[in-house]
Amino acid sequence: MSADDRRRKAERIRHLLDTEGDAVHENTQVFNEGRYESTENLDDYDELKDEARAIKEDAIERLPDLVDRVTEAVEANGGTVYLADDAADANRYLAEVVDGRDVVKSKSMTTEELDVNESLEGSGADVWETDLAEFVLQVADEAPSHIVAPAIHKSREEIATLFNEVFEPEEPLETAEELTRFAREYLGEKIRDAEVGMTGANFVTAETGTLALVTSEGNARKCVQATDTHVAVAGVEKVVPSVEDLQPFVELIGRSGTGQDVTSYVSLFTPPVDSPTFGEDDLEPGDDREFHLVLVDNGRMAMREDDQLRETLYCIRCSACANSCANFQHVGGHAFGGETYSGGIATGWEAGVHGQDSAAEFNDLCTGCSRCVNQCPVNIDIPWINTVVRDRINRGKDGDLDFLVEGLTPDDEPGGVDPQKRLFGNFDTLAKLGSTFAPLSNWVARTDTARALMERTLGVDSRRELPEFERESLVEWFESRGPRVSREAARRQVALYPDAYTNYVRTERGKAAVRVLEALNVRVDVPAAGESGRAPLSQGMVATARSNAEAVYDALAPAVAADHDVVVVEPSDLAMFHREYERLLPEDSYAALKDRSYELMEYVYGLLENGAGVDALPDGDDERVAYHSHCQQRTLDLEPYTVAVLEDCGFDVTTSDVECCGMAGSFGYKSEYYELSVDVGETLAEQFTTEDTADRTVVASGTSCLEQLDALLTRRPAHPVRLLDRE
Amino acid sequence: MSAEPIATFASSLEDLGVDLVRTAADEFASTVAPLLDAPAVGTPLPFESATLPDSVETDPTVAELEAAATGVTAAGYGIADYGSVVVQGGADGAEPVSLYADEHVAVVAASDVLPDMDAAFDRLAEDVRSGTRQSIVATGPSATADMGSLVEGAHGPMDVTVVLLEDR
Ligand code: SF4
């Protein structure tokens, strides 16, 4: 990306933060909290997710067969099925069916993907969106910014202004009730007059040709009942075997999306349906209603063949991955989205249906924080899809070798990777050099000239403080110091993993970790293992990440083989060991390292639970502490251990509840994203500057979180292990 | 049918803000009459001795349908865990009647209250296989938050009342 492109991107994000950010934040927050609450009350939440996942895996596996079966079923019911190859094909068929008649539509992202409205209007039809949010967007001539609540970026005031301008009602509209009533009546007439009702389908059952429509408004039902031609447009991936299979989805989709246990209506239509339709004055028999099911391929069958993108087809478009995403919550789908889809999974959809370029526009907004992973009702590894597509985008570019970065980057990537990405992806090399030449390297890097150059050539925002490298790395410190607990006296033996930040930048937390473990009678070693692969992975440099992972495994394997435990300070690196290494290492190696590795405070908790005395650690003496856990740490459910250990030691702890600090590794350094990063971070900073928290000692587990908090608070934050260190 | 699903059904409905009225079939007309704000439309009920009061229009015109304050239909079954009723409309017009009036009154037999979604989907699948073309799992009133805050009555009823026939 050129400096100009970066500036333009930053400007666009700034504009959206100003104009849409508040409404999006407020509304996604409601959905996000609603989901946590509603899923917590669901006893068999995890089982339902596994069931839903299994149904989708099986259905996509058997898709061609299921498509044949649904075709037979629909035809036996008296309808027709059209399998559309792409948007043009679908639109041609739809224009033929509609034949210039008036159409009322219920919400369908798939018709957005195909630009159906434009195409039908071009062929002379009147098309009305009857979902109230879609109607607002139709009137405003805007694109959806959220896959479930498409007008989420608009406040009530903006909608009122829009309606009053466009419709000039006698009494200006103001309240949500007035706006809803007005739209309902306006659209009521359109519904009564229309001849074609067009719906989407959340699910289609192969065995019986049944459509399941999940809605809160009654508009989809009305679109079907009030017209004599029903057209349903659905992606081909919506087909599941039978009606019984719908149950887990119905229990999950509303909870996962808007946080409702179930939406107002789950309509099971096995069309053509025979509800009476509207005649001039009387209701007329609906028994000769026409029905057309248009199943859309548009890239999906190719996604099915693609080992990395296939998972995307399991997506039920619930929006949990958008609502649980800190970046999405702040900037919304007009930035965090492609031509049609928005949020975390949009990368997969856009890459599959519109092509990589559409995904490239926004793919970097996924920072891999992984907060969405446990929220997805079909267990899709959304960050992984983002990483893979990023890797493909990197590789798709022409090799434009940048000599400066090339020299610094002994990676396994082709020449075309953006220099900024290579810089951050090779953080280990950079840190090693920085440490070797410290403090000179720190002084040089701080000069205005260097910062300006870095901003111009690499997009490193000059408003961010750069990490300061320590002359003596943690590994070097430990080598000269040696272990302090004898093998014989040791309760356990541990290899402390020196992640790149702990090794070269924040060595103090590594030293504290060594001393705290030793205080609990653990014999510690700090093997010279390199960067985990997190840095290159976050830039989409999968090959480099894999070779880093292999090197780390080689360095830690002796400890693992000797039955020692591996303790990790940086949560994002532990998350590599526990999640991503599954895709980067042979199965055995992955499993061995995963079983043996622990987050530092989790490990301390385990020691205390297994007989180590808490008196060996300092007494917190009711010191008031505000703790921000790390996004990936929370995904692994490891936040409670830090809290428990600190409380055990007598600290008074309160915690943040944001999804992510906004820094996310390199993200907050990038000039195009700096302002978004700060906007996200400020939500966290606000939580730590309330009446109750403003005087608390701030601790955070992740390096990024510490940097972000350091930049946004006047107090200097530290890793929690520092509170347990007597030095 | 054990009492348990009924108790769960009642508390789910309460959480949703849906009124639950219990009655015996032969007292049905007198129990529901005061619930039916005029003008009321309805579809004939399939329950023996539970018949709609005469004031209910069962063959409404389009205009009557749109002007209706109340729409009464039977519900094929209820789902206790969620407080849902399953409206199985067809040629009888249950779909428009349950959709256009300001308030939907759904009449369900106590023996048709199923415990959970699992049971409901087994029934739904069976019904589809034996020819039921349309089943709406309806939970509470229609609603939207699209206009800036939650509003009930979005292309559908803004109130729902469930009448439980205790001896059916
Ligand atoms: S990827 Fe998962 S969480 Fe995201 S919209 Fe799809 S189903 Fe929902």
Side-chain angles (χ1 to χ4, degrees), chain A residues 147 315-321 345 376-378 380 382:
Chain A
I147 57 175
C315 170
I316 59 169
R317 311 243 177 112
C318 72
S319 80
C321 54
I345 194 60
C376 175
V378 283
I380 299 178
I382 299 149

Side-chain angles (χ1 to χ4, degrees), chain B residues 22-59:
Chain B
R22 299 158 184 256
T23 180
D26 56 7
E27 284 161 19
F28 174 78
S30 60
T31 313
V32 295
L35 301 174
L36 306 179
D37 287 339
V41 294
T43 49
L45 301 177
F47 308 108
E48 203 187 318
S49 65
T51 43
L52 290 174
D54 290 343
S55 58
V56 176
E57 176 56 61
T58 51
D59 187 17

Side-chain angles (χ1 to χ4, degrees), chain A residues 42 77 130-133 136 156 159 163 176-177 179-180 183-184 187 191-192 207-208 210 216-219 221-222 225-226 242-244 246-247 250-251 255 261-276 278-279 281-283, chain B residues 60-63 65-66 81-82 84 87 89-96 98-100 116-118 121-122 124-126 128-129 132-158 160:
Chain A
L42 187 62
N77 293 337
T130 62
D131 173 82
L132 295 180
V136 168
R156 177 181 56 78
I159 299 170
F163 278 18
E177 284 79 17
L179 291 164
T180 303
R184 189 176 60 210
L187 291 168
I191 291 173
R192 201 169 44 234
E207 184 199 334
T208 52
T210 304
S216 281
E217 301 174 17
N219 63 315
R221 297 171 61 190
K222 285 187 174 175
Q225 173 271 325
S242 67
V243 172
E244 283 91 340
L246 299 174
Q247 175 255 330
V250 166
E251 297 206 60
R255 297 178 194 267
D261 294 352
V262 64
T263 59
S264 302
Y265 303 124
V266 176
S267 307
L268 303 188
F269 295 118
T270 306
V273 298
D274 57 356
S275 286
F278 289 157
D281 297 314
D282 293 316
L283 292 172
Chain B
T61 62
V62 175
L65 186 68
E66 292 197 318
D81 275 358
Y82 286 84
S84 316
V87 182
D92 65 348
E95 178 68 350
S98 65
L99 198 48
Y100 280 87
D116 51 26
M117 279 293 175
D118 242 332
F121 271 88
D122 287 347
L124 285 164
E126 223 175 88
V128 171
R129 285 185 194 111
T132 304
R133 286 290 174 105
Q134 179 166 320
S135 298
I136 312 288
V137 181
T139 312
S142 64
T144 182
D146 289 342
M147 297 295 176
S149 62
L150 189 76
V151 178
E152 301 193 323
H155 293 304
M158 46 193 121
V160 175

Side-chain angles (χ1 to χ4, degrees), chain A residues 627-641:
Chain A
Y627 172 54
H628 171 64
S629 178
H630 176 277
C631 44
Q632 286 157 338
Q633 181 183 5
R634 290 177 59 217
T635 296
L636 298 173
D637 282 331
L638 297 177
E639 175 177 12
Y641 298 112

